[in-house]
Structures are given as C-alpha cells and as structure tokens.
Amino acid sequence: MLVSSCSSSSSAMGKCVAEARALKVHCEAEKRRRERINRHLSTLRRMIPDANKMDKASLLGRVLDQVKNLKRRAEELGKGIKIPPEVNEVIVECPAGDEHQYLTASISCDDRPDLFADLIKAFHDLRLRTIQANLVSIGGRAQHVFVLCTNESNRTECLSSLKESIEEALARIATPDMMCNNISSKRQRILESNYSIISL
C-alpha cells in the first residue's frame, strides 16, 4: 500500500512539474508577444504627430485615419498621370474652324535618346512651331503630346494635307526601322537636341 501511494504521489508531482513547465513556456511566449506589440505601437507613436499620450485604441484609430487619407491622396495624384500605351500610336487632331491652324499631335513609342531631337527636327522640316509639349516616359515607353502651330500665317497648304504629313512623319519616328538610313553623327544629334530644347 505504501508503494502504490508513493507511485501515485510521484505521478501527480510529475504532472504538476509538466504543467508548471507548460505554464512557464506559455507566459514567456505571451511576454514576447506583448513586447512585440508594444514595439510596434511605439513605432506608430513616433510616426503619428501628438500621439505620445494616446491609449492604444485612440492610436490605432488615428493610424487608420492617416492610412485612409494617404490612400485618398494617392488616388487623386494618380488620376493626373497618363501612362504611355504599350502599342505604338500616332494621333493628330485639328480643331474645326481654327483660323490659326493649331494642331495637337500625340506619339506613343519606345523611348530612346534621340527621340525628342527627331520629333523637333520633323516639326522644323514641316515648318511647325511647338506651343506646348507634355512628355511622359515610364518603363521604356514614351508618350509626347504637342500643341503645334504653323510658322506662317499665310500658309496655303490645307489643314488636312498638313495633318497627313504630320501623321506620316510621326509614324516614321514611332517605328525607327522604317526611317531611312540617314543616321546623323552623335555630335550632330547632341547639337540638334540642345537647339530644340532652347527653342522651346
């Protein structure tokens, strides 16, 4: 009888030791979790103005408001950005009844170092003056939108044939493989590029 009571007390003691170990492991894990949460809350307090004395719920509410505000602002800013299309595209438009012969020309193509110089040279050859230029280049693609005006007020060429000429010139630039092999030297391209930037 004495042996059986000893064995039952030792098994109970072993069970208590195992429970104590499990409780200790659980407490240490819980302590590490609370420390990690407090570190993150401390980081949030440093990022949010006047948040040093806020309780956790108020701090999280303020963080949510800030995130919503930043998301809204990012969406507003993103609306104004035009991303160049993936396909080469040339669009030339002339407003009806425009006595000054203003045209809008848009070209989307692969970006390259001599692209802008080629565009300015094409407009110069067609005796067009650049009034406004909007340029976007993202991920190796470029989109250039120009408002153009004829240099001469007494130009006799009709607007439809001028539009066709611009479309042909821009199409050749959009696909450089179709351009003639009349490639200028690096120095000449740099000079043209500098001249065209100054002339804008």
Side-chain angles (χ1 to χ4, degrees), residues 4-200:
S4 68
S5 68
C6 281
S7 65
S8 66
S9 69
S10 66
S11 68
M13 196 163 105
K15 187 176 178 183
C16 287
V17 169
E19 286 175 357
R21 275 191 199 141
L23 184 61
K24 184 179 179 185
V25 168
H26 174 73
C27 288
E28 287 173 358
E30 186 64 24
K31 182 180 176 187
R32 284 193 302 271
R33 187 184 70 80
R34 281 193 310 269
E35 287 172 352
R36 199 168 60 244
I37 289 171
N38 287 332
R39 275 196 310 270
H40 291 314
L41 288 171
S42 176
T43 302
L44 287 174
R45 279 193 173 88
R46 285 193 303 271
M47 294 172 74
I48 304 295
D50 302 324
N52 288 335
K53 296 183 180 178
M54 281 187 191
D55 62 15
K56 293 175 185 176
S58 301
L59 176 64
L60 290 175
R62 177 77 72 84
V63 168
L64 284 174
D65 291 342
Q66 287 280 62
V67 168
K68 287 176 187 174
N69 184 31
L70 289 172
K71 187 176 178 182
R72 182 181 50 77
R73 287 176 56 196
E75 286 172 359
E76 287 173 2
L77 289 173
K79 287 178 185 173
I81 297 174
K82 289 191 100 178
I83 297 175
E86 289 297 316
V87 294
N88 291 352
E89 182 178 74
V90 172
I91 300 170
V92 180
E93 298 171 336
C94 28
D98 189 357
E99 60 193 42
H100 298 291
Q101 294 191 347
Y102 286 107
L103 300 107
T104 304
S106 168
I107 178 172
S108 301
C109 60
D110 289 334
D111 200 2
R112 59 182 192 271
D114 57 348
L115 176 60
F116 194 73
D118 289 344
L119 290 167
I120 296 302
K121 183 178 183 322
F123 297 147
H124 184 266
D125 291 347
L126 291 167
R127 297 182 311 214
L128 294 167
R129 190 164 36 104
T130 305
I131 305 297
Q132 181 181 354
N134 294 313
L135 320 170
V136 178
S137 179
I138 298 174
R141 294 289 297 169
Q143 183 175 41
H144 298 256
V145 181
F146 296 92
V147 176
L148 305 166
C149 181
T150 57
N151 275 332
E152 301 93 12
S153 57
N154 59 352
R155 187 166 181 159
T156 55
E157 186 180 1
C158 75
L159 214 51
S160 61
S161 67
L162 178 60
K163 180 183 171 188
E164 285 177 22
S165 300
I166 296 169
E167 285 172 347
E168 288 172 14
L170 294 184
R172 284 194 304 270
I173 292 170
T175 358
D177 299 337
M178 291 173 56
M179 289 179 76
C180 26
N181 295 328
N182 187 8
I183 299 171
S184 56
S185 68
K186 183 177 180 182
R187 183 175 179 188
Q188 183 180 354
R189 281 194 306 242
I190 289 171
L191 289 173
E192 287 174 355
S193 166
N194 288 339
Y195 170 75
S196 61
I197 290 170
I198 292 167
S199 66
L200 284 180

